[in-house]
Amino acid sequence: MELINGYPASMRESIALVERTRPARLGRTFPAMSLDERKALLLAHHPDYQAHAKRPLRFGPSKGMLLNHELADLFEARPLVRPDLDVSTIDADVDLLVIGGGGAGTVAAIWAVQSGLDPARVLIATKLRHGDSNSTMAQGGIQAADRPEDSPVQHFLDVMGGGHFTNRPDLVRALVSDAPLIIQWHERLGVMYDKDSQGRFVENPGGGTSRNRMHSARDYTGLEIMRVLRDEARNLGIRVIEFSPAIELLCDDWGHVAGAVLLNLETRRYHIVRAAATVLTTGGLGRVHIQRFPTTNHYGATGDGLVLAYRVGAELVDLDAVQYHPTGAAFPAQMAGLLITEKVRGLGAQPLNRLGEQFVFPLEPRDVEAAAFIRECGERGLGIPTPHGICGVWLDAPMVDLLHGPGTIRAALPAMYRMYMRFGIDMTRDPILVFPTLHYQNGGVAADEHGATRVPGLFVAGEVMGGIHGKNRLMGNSLLDFNVFGRRAGIAAAHYARTHRPGRLSLAHVAEYERMLREAGIETTRTAPRILPDYRGKEALERYLDVPV
Amino acid sequence: MSEPATLVTMELMGKEYRVPSGLTILAAMEYAGYKLVRGVGCRGGFCGACPTLYRREGSHRIFTALACQTLVEDGMCLVQIPFVPAPTKPYDLHSITPQSTTLLRFFPEIAGCVACNTCTRSCPQGLPVMDYIQAALRGDIERVAMLSFDCIACGICSSRCPADIKHYAVGLLARRLYGKYLVPPSADLALRVGEIEAGRYDAELRELMELPLADLRARYEQRTFEPAADQNGEYSATRRYNSPMDPVDYQDELEGV
C-alpha cells in the first residue's frame, strides 16, 4: 500500500478537507450537550446500553446483575484449583499480602508500612513485573482541586455528574477530599509534575470537568508516578514476588480471607501465602475484549480479581458499565486500540468527521464522547474508512501547536508524538485517526471508603474496586483513585492485620462455588482467572499439540 | 477490506519463521505461535518490558528496539532480553541533601563512563543517555532529570554499557531529587491541604451528599466553566518543560514548520 507521509491517498483526500476548515474552526468549538441530550445519545449508540450484549449473573451475592457476555463467562467458569489442594504447607506467612503490583498495590503496601507493619512481613505478589500495569500507561493526568478557583465541592459535582449520579457519594467524598493530600504526598516523594518556576502546577481541563485541575507530567503522568512509587517501595524494603499471580484466595475456618494460592508462571509450582490481611489490587479487564473491542489495557488486565473476590463472597457493583475511551488509535493498524490521551483534546484538538466538520463538544464525559464518535461512523456514515476495514474520526492534532505555539506537542505530548513518528505519522502536521477503545472497568468489587469488602480480611483498591465512578469515570480520576483508595486500604488493612490472626487455611469456598455453578445449571470447561490473553496465530494453533515436554 | 499481507522471513531466537509484513515484532512472535509471559507488558511503549536485540541482513551492527513498537523486517534476526538486572543500594530520599556529588556518591560507577555513546545509540526512546550520565558526573541534577524524563527503564542502555552503569537508576534518583528538593512546593496546594485538614469543606460536602437527586442534577447543570488555562506564559510547561532552564532545545526540530 502506497503511503504519503504515513497515510494512503484515500485518507489524504479527507485530510485536505480538514485543512480547509481548520482556520474557521480555530476560534469556534461545538457546543456541549444537555443532560437529556447525553442520555438519548448514550441509549442509542453506546455499547453499554445494547441489551443483546449482556446477560444476568445467575448465582452468588450479585445475582441478576447484567454483565457483558465476555465478563459473565469469567464468573461462569471453573476454578483453577480443586478444593482438596494441599494447603497445609505454608511457603510465606505474612501480615499483609497485596495481590497486584500496579499503582494501587504499591501505594497500599507503602502505606501499610507507614502505618507500622514490618516491610519484611508485607508481600506484593504480581502477575508480570512490579509496575507492569495500566497505572504506568496512564498519560493525561491526575485531578485534584487545589487552586483558589476550585474546590473539592466542585470536584465532587463533576465526578457525580460524569458518573450519571450513580456513584456512591461516600466514596466520591473520600476521592475529592484526599486528592490534594495525595498530590502533596507525591511532591514529597519527588514526583516531577509540570510546574512553573514558582512551584505552581500547570493545570488543564479534562472531559466533564468544570475547572482546570488536571496535574500532569508531560504525557507520562502514570509512568512518572508509578516509577517513583516502585522506587519508594523498594527503598522501604517491601518484598515483591513477580510472575506469580494469585489463582485463588484462601480463607480460614471462619470464612475470613487469609491469603492466596500463587502460581509461579515459569515453574507452574504453586505457592501458599498465609496473610493476616489481604488487599486485592489486580486492576481491570480490558484484555477480555468486551464486545470484541480493542483495548488500551496492559497485557495482564484480565479481570482476575473480580472472580477471586466473588468466589469468597464479595459483592459487585456497576460492573454492567465498562468504559470505552473515545480516542483509541484507529490508524495505522499496528496501533489499533492504543490510547491517545484525552490531554490532546484538553489542549484544544477537535474531533472531526470525513468532511472536516465538528460534530461534538471535544470534552464531553467519555461515554458521551465515545457514543458521538460511534454515531458519526455508524448511523451518520461520516467516518473515515481505513484500508484495514475499520472506520474512525479525525482528531485535529495540529491545532494544539496553532493554539499554544509551535513546540507544544513536542513538549507536552512527547509519548504521543514519539508513538506516531515510529509509524511514520507526524501529528504536528497531520490529524490522527481515532475510534473508541475498551479502556476501564468502571465498576468492580463493592467496598467501603476504607477499601473493606463485606468479607473480613479482604480489602480492595484501584480499578478492581467499584462504586467510585458510578457508570462512567472522568479523566484524571483513575490515577487519583488508586492513590486515594490504595492508601486508605493499606492503612485499614495494616490495622486489621495487627488485630487479627488467621486460623487454619481452607478452600471450602471453592467447593461452595462449584456447587453454586452446578445448581445454576452451568456446565462448562471454561476456567478462570484467565491470567493472560491468548493472541497466538490461527495458523500456529491449527498444528498445536499439547504434549508434555 | 484489508489487503492480503506479503510475508517476510525472520529469525526468532535462532529459528526461521514466515510472518506477515506490517506486524510488530511482538505480534509476529504471537503469529508464529509464542504465548508470551516474559518480554511483554503494556504493549503500548510505556512499560519497557519488551527490549529486543536484532541484526539486519548485510549490517554488522546490533540494533535495539521495543518489540511492541517496531515492525518486522525481512531478514531480521532477533532475540528478546527478559530484563537487565540492576539492583541498587536502598536509599532514603527524605534524608538526602542534594549536592553536586550526590549522584556520584550513590552511583560511583558513572565515573567509569568512557563516552562511547552506545547507551544513546541503543535507547529506543531516542534519549541522549550519555549526555545525562555526563551531566550526572558534573553534578547537574536538573539536567539529568530533564534529559532522562521520558525513560521507560527498559534497561537496554545498561545491557550494552562497557562501564556497567545503571543509567536508568541514575536518572530516577536525579528526577526524585529534582522533584522533591529543587522545584518549589506549590503554595496553593499547601493552603488547600490545610483547609481540608481543618474541615473547611466537610459541611458543604455533607450537604451535597444529602441532596435529593433532582436538586443535585440542577446544581450540576448550573455549574460555571473555567476557560482553558493560558498556555503562553513565560514558564508554560507546554512550551518549556517543567523549568525555565529546560535544556532540551526544541528549536532545531521546529525549523521549517
Side-chain angles (χ1 to χ4, degrees):
Chain A
M1 180 176 54
E2 190 75 32
L3 296 177
I4 308 154
N5 291 327
Y7 288 111
S10 58
M11 296 175 75
R12 281 274 157 210
E13 286 169 26
S14 175
I15 291 177
L17 297 177
V18 169
E19 286 168 349
R20 194 173 312 152
T21 59
R22 192 177 289 145
R25 284 186 283 106
L26 272 169
R28 249 196 23 238
T29 303
F30 202 86
M33 281 180 233
S34 70
L35 285 177
D36 290 336
E37 287 171 312
R38 283 182 187 176
K39 191 173 174 191
L41 176 64
L42 288 174
L43 285 174
H45 294 284
H46 193 279
D48 269 355
Y49 299 82
Q50 311 307 312
H52 63 86
K54 296 185 182 180
R55 66 177 188 261
L57 190 53
R58 286 151 71 184
F59 58 90
S62 300
K63 184 174 172 177
M65 180 178 280
L66 269 182
L67 300 176
N68 278 286
H69 294 303
E70 297 82 357
L71 186 50
D73 284 350
L74 282 186
F75 292 101
E76 296 179 5
R78 311 274 313 270
L80 291 171
V81 298
R82 304 269 67 84
D84 59 359
L85 185 79
D86 178 13
V87 297
S88 60
T89 305
I90 291 161
D91 299 290
D93 200 4
V94 297
D95 292 334
L96 176 63
L97 171 64
V98 177
I99 300 171
T106 309
V107 171
I110 290 171
W111 279 96
V113 170
Q114 306 285 15
S115 309
L117 291 193
D118 174 0
R121 294 189 55 80
V122 173
L123 177 66
I124 299 176
T126 188
K127 185 188 291 182
L128 296 168
R129 302 177 314 161
H130 187 193
D132 280 4
S133 58
N134 288 340
S135 312
T136 299
M137 306 178 75
Q139 299 165 15
I142 176 168
Q143 288 199 46
D146 59 3
R147 292 161 55 252
E149 298 86 340
D150 198 2
S151 88
V153 177
Q154 195 74 21
H155 191 178
F156 182 95
L157 270 179
D158 288 347
V159 176
M160 292 296 294
H164 311 300
F165 306 98
T166 53
N167 325 46
R168 286 187 42 184
D170 53 334
L171 301 182
V172 179
R173 176 174 60 181
L175 184 80
V176 302
S177 305
D178 284 5
L181 282 63
I182 289 294
I183 302 292
Q184 192 174 56
W185 177 52
H186 287 174
E187 257 190 350
R188 291 172 179 166
L189 290 176
V191 172
M192 252 172 83
Y193 282 112
D194 295 343
K195 281 184 170 183
D196 69 12
S197 61
Q198 311 299 309
R200 280 187 299 249
F201 292 101
V202 175
E203 300 188 33
N204 282 304
T209 68
S210 58
R211 295 288 181 277
N212 304 329
R213 69 168 79 89
M214 206 66 65
H215 303 61
S216 58
R218 311 186 90 171
D219 56 356
Y220 285 111
T221 314
L223 172 71
E224 167 62 358
I225 293 173
M226 187 69 235
R227 63 195 178 189
V228 166
L229 294 172
R230 181 174 51 201
D231 191 49
E232 185 70 5
R234 282 182 187 166
N235 284 320
L236 286 170
I238 293 165
R239 293 165 62 203
V240 180
I241 174 169
E242 298 185 327
F243 296 97
S244 297
I247 55 170
E248 202 65 65
L249 292 173
L250 286 163
C251 290
D252 63 13
D253 295 329
W254 305 287
H256 300 177
V257 169
V261 183
L262 309 183
L263 182 74
N264 180 327
L265 286 184
E266 282 148 337
T267 61
R268 301 289 166 103
R269 189 175 187 275
Y270 74 92
H271 193 85
I272 300 298
V273 181
R274 183 168 69 178
T278 301
V279 183
L280 197 59
T281 53
T282 49
L285 51 58
R287 292 281 160 191
V288 302
H289 296 290
I290 304 282
Q291 300 191 35
R292 305 182 72 180
F293 269 79
T295 183
T296 59
N297 281 194
H298 189 274
Y299 188 49
T302 50
D304 298 2
L306 298 172
V307 179
L308 300 187
Y310 202 59
R311 288 193 187 145
V312 296
E315 262 181 295
L316 308 172
V317 58
D318 291 332
L319 262 184
D320 52 325
V322 289
Q323 180 165 82
Y324 300 86
H325 195 294
T327 56
F331 185 88
Q334 301 86 353
M335 280 177 68
L338 293 185
L339 177 64
I340 306 309
T341 174
E342 192 162 319
K343 192 174 176 185
V344 184
R345 280 176 289 139
L347 289 169
Q350 295 165 343
L352 307 171
N353 63 22
R354 180 161 48 81
L355 308 173
E357 298 164 338
Q358 296 190 69
F359 56 91
V360 63
F361 179 62
L363 289 172
E364 295 284 1
R366 282 180 172 168
D367 52 354
V368 178
E369 191 82 8
F373 289 11
I374 290 169
R375 178 179 62 185
E376 205 67 13
C377 291
E379 186 182 278
R380 290 184 176 172
L382 288 172
I384 298 93
T386 65
H388 52 278
I390 65 168
C391 255
V393 298
W394 292 118
L395 189 55
D396 198 10
M399 290 181 71
V400 173
D401 280 359
L402 290 174
L403 289 167
H404 303 296
T408 304
I409 289 175
R410 293 301 318 273
L413 299 164
M416 291 294 89
Y417 178 79
R418 181 176 281 123
M419 187 184 286
Y420 275 104
M421 281 311 271
R422 280 172 177 146
F423 296 104
I425 291 170
D426 181 351
M427 67 184 279
T428 67
R429 291 157 196 258
D430 282 321
I432 53 183
L433 198 74
V434 294
F435 192 73
T437 177
L438 183 56
H439 187 54
Y440 191 80
Q441 165 192 305
N442 290 310
V445 178
D448 71 8
E449 62 195 83
H450 301 289
T453 67
R454 67 178 206 158
V455 187
L458 182 65
F459 299 79
V460 290
E463 194 169 346
V464 73
M465 175 179 173
I468 304 152
H469 310 292
K471 307 287 185 202
N472 178 55
R473 176 178 66 79
L474 296 185
M475 173 200 184
N477 279 343
S478 62
L479 287 175
L480 178 58
D481 163 349
F482 84 62
N483 277 285
V484 166
F485 292 98
R487 173 178 167 275
R488 284 167 167 259
I491 294 170
H495 178 72
Y496 181 91
R498 273 198 300 273
T499 48
H500 291 77
R501 297 264 45 105
R504 201 168 50 88
L505 297 178
S506 148
L507 284 168
H509 58 284
V510 173
E512 171 62 13
Y513 197 83
E514 297 262 25
R515 187 188 63 76
M516 285 196 291
L517 284 175
R518 272 196 309 275
E519 283 182 5
I522 297 158
E523 283 182 40
T524 178
T525 54
R526 268 193 311 269
T527 56
R530 195 69 55 85
I531 305 178
L532 290 173
D534 196 340
Y535 298 128
R536 285 176 291 181
K538 195 159 52 69
E539 292 84 350
L541 284 176
E542 275 166 1
R543 285 171 168 257
Y544 179 76
L545 279 184
D546 194 7
V547 296
V549 281
Chain B
M1 292 309 286
S2 50
E3 313 171 1
T6 52
L7 296 178
V8 298
T9 304
M10 64 187 299
E11 204 178 293
L12 259 178
M13 314 278 192
K15 281 200 207 79
E16 236 179 54
Y17 294 92
R18 301 264 294 159
V19 299
S21 66
L23 294 186
T24 61
I25 292 172
L26 202 64
M29 292 181 75
E30 289 170 337
Y31 175 89
Y34 281 79
K35 179 156 182 182
L36 299 166
V37 175
R38 295 262 183 190
V40 56
C42 73
R43 307 175 73 102
F46 285 88
C47 80
C50 58
T52 303
L53 296 185
Y54 67 95
R55 288 192 195 269
R56 288 182 166 129
E57 237 168 26
S59 167
H60 70 284
R61 276 197 59 194
I62 280 193
F63 296 89
T64 56
L66 297 175
C68 72
Q69 296 286 296
T70 310
L71 301 185
V72 288
E73 295 168 20
D74 201 38
M76 192 181 235
C77 167
L78 68 86
V79 68
Q80 282 199 297
I81 323 176
F83 69 104
V84 181
T88 49
K89 264 206 312 277
Y91 48 80
D92 176 13
L93 187 81
H94 312 285
S95 63
I96 300 176
T97 310
Q99 290 167 324
S100 59
T101 54
T102 305
L103 295 174
L104 191 60
R105 184 155 57 85
F106 283 95
F107 299 100
E109 63 275 15
I110 60 176
C113 174
V114 295
C116 68
N117 211 32
T118 307
C119 50
T120 298
R121 286 207 313 175
S122 68
C123 177
Q125 291 284 86
L127 304 183
V129 187
M130 186 190 78
D131 294 2
Y132 81 67
I133 294 301
Q134 291 293 325
L137 267 170
R138 294 194 304 275
D140 188 344
I141 292 171
E142 174 165 13
R143 192 172 167 84
V144 181
M146 295 299 164
L147 295 184
S148 70
F149 189 84
D150 293 2
C151 170
I152 56 172
C154 66
I156 296 178
C157 50
S158 301
S159 77
R160 304 278 290 137
C161 177
D164 303 331
I165 293 168
K166 292 171 275 201
H167 312 70
Y168 57 93
V170 178
L172 177 58
L173 176 57
R175 291 192 302 271
R176 291 193 67 187
L177 290 170
Y178 178 78
K180 183 175 174 66
Y181 295 108
L182 304 184
V183 184
S186 158
D188 284 345
L189 176 66
L191 215 65
R192 180 55 45 82
V193 168
E195 287 179 347
I196 288 172
E197 286 174 346
R200 157 83 177 73
Y201 298 99
D202 293 356
E204 256 183 292
L205 282 171
R206 199 169 316 117
E207 185 210 322
L208 278 187
M209 287 171 69
E210 286 160 8
L211 272 187
L213 180 60
D215 296 351
L216 189 64
R217 283 173 61 103
R219 285 280 296 270
Y220 181 75
E221 294 235 76
Q222 288 155 12
R223 289 173 311 159
T224 55
F225 281 78
E226 181 183 15
D230 175 19
Q231 305 284 338
N232 291 314
E234 186 190 356
Y235 298 121
S236 161
T238 54
R239 301 292 298 282
R240 287 183 167 281
Y241 173 62
N242 224 318
S243 155
M245 292 157 63
D246 185 348
V248 182
D249 185 0
Y250 300 104
Q251 220 41 54
D252 55 333
E253 287 144 3
L254 298 177
E255 275 165 20
V257 169

